Amino acid sequence: MSNAVTPGEPGKPAWTHAGHGVHDSVELDPPTSAIALGIKLPAAFAEIAEDPELGPVISTSLAKVEKQLREAIANSDPLADATSRHLIEAGGKRIRPLLVLLASHLGDPGRAEVIRAAVVVELTHLATLYHDDVMDSAPFRRGAPTAHEVWGNSVAILTGDLIFARASILVSELGPKALGIQARTFERLCLGQLHETVGPRPDQDPVEHYISVVSDKTGSLVAASGQLGAIFADVSEELQDVLVEYGEKVGVAFQLADDVIDVTGMKQVSGKSPGTDLREGVATLPVLLLRKAAVNDPVAAEVLTLVEGDLSSDEALAEAVKALREHPVTEESWAVARQWADEAVAALAPLPEGVVKSALTNFAHAVVHREV
């Protein structure tokens, strides 16, 4: 941003309309080529990374996404700029943009709209994280203090709103079809959070309710990622539908696996401390299955007493995690997650054989072994 002064306010820096632009205190990001050199694809996509033709293309495209992400959230207001950059600078695997890019390689991946769509889905994802962390009172995200811990709840919520507004501006430039997909996806994200907050209806099975929540909160955006990538690469509608079904199912598998990781102690793989969900009172799939089992199983009832007890001390939490990990409902939860992953792979049957189909298949298997 230039140092021009705002009329009527001598000596004060000018602010661009609606906060767009870059404040003087923000350094320009490195060029795309430099970003590409530092990109390492997630382990689940090792086949892509090793492909001599597709690997470099995907890395370069991800670098373009990364650069445009930073440009999209740049703000002439220094506070808004700092809060918006907070999670982007904390890193992330960029799974959703990667799925946009992969889907585009079923058609014409060279169109600029593909990169723009990848930026949109990641901005949307980031916006939800700001909101989720406030609602969950989460102290950390990606190894860094959450925005609400640094700036407070109101600023964190407004930052999420601001980032989603930027995503909406970008998607509006992609046309009405993309805008409709974005709007419906965000509606599902909000409904999923609402339904998670209020819980199942009295006549609703808790496990079915939870799966529907996961489908809305996670599956919807993963599905939109593949769909948008395919649309802007001129992929047939038939294959677009395949990617939507795949995305819904693999997104559910991803979250269900995350539930189990919380009680299996796989911190070194996921970066998540065992028992985080238990301590926060989040009833994920293993706990829901445990509640069902506790009706007729005395051992399950004992474990449930530990899980739903006071977990404020590390000792109590460790005891609850160990008991739940060793109960059969944990393996049952893994089985449910694997079933969703298998169904995601089965949905890919109509795709042409090749590196893209193979990579999507490997990703579905990897999410239930947490090799992501």
Side-chain angles (χ1 to χ4, degrees), residues 6-224:
T6 303
E9 298 183 20
K12 290 187 177 182
W15 301 99
T16 54
H17 177 65
H20 293 264
V22 182
H23 190 261
D24 290 334
S25 62
V26 178
E27 295 183 4
L28 294 177
D29 290 322
T32 301
S33 57
I35 299 174
L37 290 174
I39 286 179
K40 181 180 180 182
L41 295 181
F45 295 99
E47 183 178 4
I48 294 293
E50 294 167 1
D51 188 282
E53 294 184 5
L54 191 55
V57 173
I58 292 292
S59 292
T60 299
S61 295
L62 280 174
K64 293 178 181 177
V65 171
E66 196 68 26
K67 187 172 181 63
Q68 288 190 26
L69 273 173
R70 293 170 183 269
E71 292 171 352
I73 55 87
N75 203 296
S76 59
D77 181 315
L79 174 61
D81 190 84
T83 59
S84 298
R85 286 176 177 269
H86 186 66
L87 275 185
I88 283 184
E89 293 181 346
K93 297 182 178 69
R94 308 294 190 245
I95 294 295
R96 291 155 190 83
L98 183 51
L99 292 175
V100 173
L101 299 176
L102 278 178
S104 75
H105 280 268
L106 294 170
D108 176 10
R111 298 179 60 189
E113 292 91 341
V114 171
I115 301 297
R116 180 68 59 90
V119 173
V120 166
V121 296
E122 186 65 8
L123 287 175
T124 303
H125 175 56
L126 287 169
T128 65
L129 296 184
Y130 281 84
H131 293 164
D132 286 354
D133 287 342
V134 171
M135 297 193 71
D136 297 341
S137 299
F140 295 99
R141 168 74 68 176
R142 297 174 177 173
T146 48
H148 70 88
E149 289 285 333
V150 179
W151 293 284
N153 287 350
S154 295
V155 171
I157 292 170
L158 290 168
T159 300
D161 294 343
L162 178 60
I163 291 174
F164 181 67
R166 291 291 172 88
S168 299
I169 292 170
L170 293 181
V171 78
S172 70
E173 297 169 355
L174 291 174
K177 186 170 184 178
L179 184 58
I181 292 170
Q182 162 79 344
R184 287 188 291 273
T185 299
F186 199 69
E187 179 184 41
R188 288 185 61 190
L189 291 168
C190 294
L191 285 172
Q193 185 65 60
L194 175 64
H195 293 155
E196 181 181 60
T197 301
V198 302
R201 301 185 307 270
D203 62 341
Q204 190 175 18
D205 177 80
V207 173
E208 291 180 1
H209 169 267
Y210 185 66
I211 295 295
S212 71
V213 165
V214 170
S215 183
D216 284 341
K217 288 189 61 177
T218 305
S220 63
L221 188 55
V222 176

Side-chain angles (χ1 to χ4, degrees), residues 248-303:
E248 288 277 355
K249 293 182 182 299
V250 81
V252 172
F254 188 99
Q255 184 57 54
L256 296 183
D258 212 43
D259 293 351
V260 188
I261 287 171
D262 188 60
V263 297
T264 56
M266 295 171 65
K267 181 178 180 179
Q268 70 278 12
V269 176
S270 69
K272 187 177 185 181
S273 299
T276 299
D277 291 336
L278 295 183
R279 176 169 277 171
E280 294 175 356
V282 179
T284 55
L285 185 61
V287 173
L288 293 173
L289 293 178
L290 184 69
R291 288 176 180 171
K292 278 192 171 184
V295 175
N296 299 309
D297 179 358
V299 175
E302 292 179 9
V303 175

